[in-house]
Every structure is written in C-alpha cells, then in structure tokens.
Amino acid sequence: MGRRLVWGLLIAFLCCAISLFLAPNDLHRSLVAATNHAQKDHHVNRAYNDALSKAILFFEGQRSGKLPADQRVTWRGDSALADGQPDNVNLVGGYYDAGDNVKFGWTMSYTTSLLCWAAIEYRQQITSAGEIEHLRQAIRWATDFLLRSHTSSTTFYTQVGDGNKDHSCWERPEDMDTPRTLYKITSQNPGSEAAGDAAAALAAASMVFEHVDAAYSSKLLQHAKSVINLINYNL
C-alpha cells in the first residue's frame, strides 16, 4: 500500500510538472496567435480605410465650378464658371460625368443617391474611418447643383454640355471649348426618369443632413417634393 502511494504521488507530481512546463508554451502560442490576428485585422482595416478615402477623393477630381479653398485634388482648377448663362440661370458646380466635360443630371442624381445611402447605412463605420465629413461634402457638391437646376416649379435642368461634340475631343475642363448647351424638363419637354432620380437624391440627402444641418435638410426635402410635382405635372 505504501509503495502504491509513493508511485501515485510521483505520477501526480510528474503530471503537474509537465502541465506547468507546457502551459507557458501554450500561453505563448495563444498570445502570438492573438497578436497576429490583431495585426492582420489592423492591416485589413487600414486597407479598407485607404480604399474608402480614395473612392471619396475621386469625386473631388470630378468637381466642376469654383473650387473651394480646402480642395484636396490640387491639380484641378476652376472650370465652367459660365454654365447656365444662355438661359440666365446659375448652373455652376456639380460633377463632370466620367472622363467627359458634360454634366448629366440623371447619372449625377443616381450616384448621389448611392452616396447618401452609404452615409446612412454605414455612418458608424465611415465615421470610424474618419471619412464621414468628406462624404457629406461629396454629397453636398452634387445636391447644391441639383437645387440650382430646379429653377422653378415647372423647370428642372438635366444636362449641361453637348454630349456628341464633347465626346469627339479630349481636353481638360479648365481648357474646354465645346458648347455648354442646356437641356431642361418643362411642360413641353417631359423627363420623368431624370426628375424621379433627382427627387430621390434630394430626399435621401435630406436624411443625411437631418441631424447635421436641419435648415439644409428641410430645403432638400422641399425641393424633392416639388420635383415630384413636376413629374405629375408632366404626366
């Protein structure tokens, strides 16, 4: 009985010693794994943040009009400062479409709606990445133009520039010499698709600015409703 007790105690001691010897190694491996995982997450998050930043920065390169002092794409200059003059309206601003120097209200509205829903659905993530204010500025650059385009309860400008002539040449917007022809929706020229997208963009933007700039949000919603009425008037 005594010998069995001694052997039992010896085995128990060895088991404890082995566990004490292995535990630090296991702990070390766990810490290394956790550190590597955290570093991987950090690199992934930084890559996504960088991609998000560049995606929003792209819109600054597409800006038309008088550029602000905080413009980050510094190689772009003021352009198309006389847009709207043939009809004695102010259509300066907005975005050029792709690599063109034409401003298409329809595609601009669609893009603005997507930016708005990104700002609404992923506000927390975009804020954490430090890009929410840049995104709001990108949205507002478009909506300011859409507001100017809605010159009356029965008129909404949907395009600035001659697409055919513009597409036949390649030049910087700062140097363009193609016609800045105006196209608009009126009682004689209906365009429910373009007007509908503009109304959607203005309404979505009103949600983005609701808790940031209440007066601007209200103005956006008011114009969205008016553009909808323009569609009903056309129909």
Side-chain angles (χ1 to χ4, degrees):
M1 176 68 76
R3 183 176 296 178
R4 290 181 179 179
L5 178 61
V6 171
W7 278 108
L9 291 173
L10 180 59
I11 292 171
F13 173 79
L14 290 174
C15 289
C16 290
I18 291 172
S19 64
L20 289 174
F21 176 77
L22 293 178
N25 290 331
D26 291 340
L27 179 61
H28 175 71
R29 283 192 291 269
S30 298
L31 290 174
V32 170
T35 301
N36 290 339
H37 183 71
Q39 290 176 341
K40 182 179 179 181
D41 284 347
H42 173 72
H43 291 309
V44 169
N45 289 336
R46 187 169 62 182
Y48 275 113
N49 290 350
D50 187 51
L52 175 65
S53 177
K54 286 181 171 56
I56 297 174
L57 185 64
F58 165 82
F59 288 92
E60 291 193 19
Q62 296 295 108
R63 283 175 172 175
S64 176
K66 180 69 176 177
L67 302 183
D70 61 354
Q71 170 82 8
R72 294 179 294 166
V73 182
T74 55
W75 48 264
R76 181 64 75 204
D78 298 342
S79 60
L81 300 180
D83 280 357
Q85 283 189 1
D87 284 6
N88 294 317
V89 295
N90 177 13
L91 297 178
V92 176
Y95 290 110
Y96 295 115
D97 187 79
D100 309 328
N101 293 330
V102 182
K103 295 188 294 193
F104 293 105
W106 194 355
T107 53
M108 195 186 308
S109 296
Y110 175 77
T111 301
T112 303
S113 292
L114 290 182
L115 292 178
C116 289
W117 287 116
I120 294 169
E121 293 290 334
Y122 302 103
R123 180 177 58 84
Q124 182 178 351
Q125 294 88 334
I126 296 173
T127 300
S128 298
E131 293 294 333
I132 191 65
E133 186 55 36
H134 289 144
L135 180 56
R136 289 184 185 131
Q137 290 173 0
I139 293 170
R140 187 158 188 159
W141 195 266
T143 53
D144 281 349
F145 175 76
L146 294 177
L147 290 175
R148 295 189 196 105
S149 300
H150 187 215
T151 56
S152 75
S153 60
T154 58
T155 306
F156 186 84
Y157 285 84
T158 59
Q159 182 176 326
V160 180
D162 186 316
N164 293 324
K165 293 184 178 180
D166 180 86
H167 295 168
S168 66
C169 68
W170 187 269
E171 57 187 354
R172 302 189 318 150
E174 295 88 347
D175 304 324
M176 63 180 169
D177 53 6
T178 50
R180 304 303 289 169
T181 310
L182 305 177
Y183 299 85
K184 58 188 175 183
I185 298 172
T186 65
S187 57
Q188 291 76 36
N189 299 287
S192 57
E193 300 90 343
D197 252 327
L202 292 169
S206 73
M207 298 171 66
V208 172
F209 292 99
E210 183 177 6
H211 302 294
V212 180
D213 188 337
Y216 187 66
S217 173
S218 178
K219 182 178 181 180
L220 291 168
L221 185 58
Q222 177 185 354
H223 277 264
K225 293 177 179 178
S226 182
V227 173
I228 289 295
N229 289 333
L230 174 60
I231 297 174
N232 293 333
Y233 178 78
N234 287 153
L235 294 177

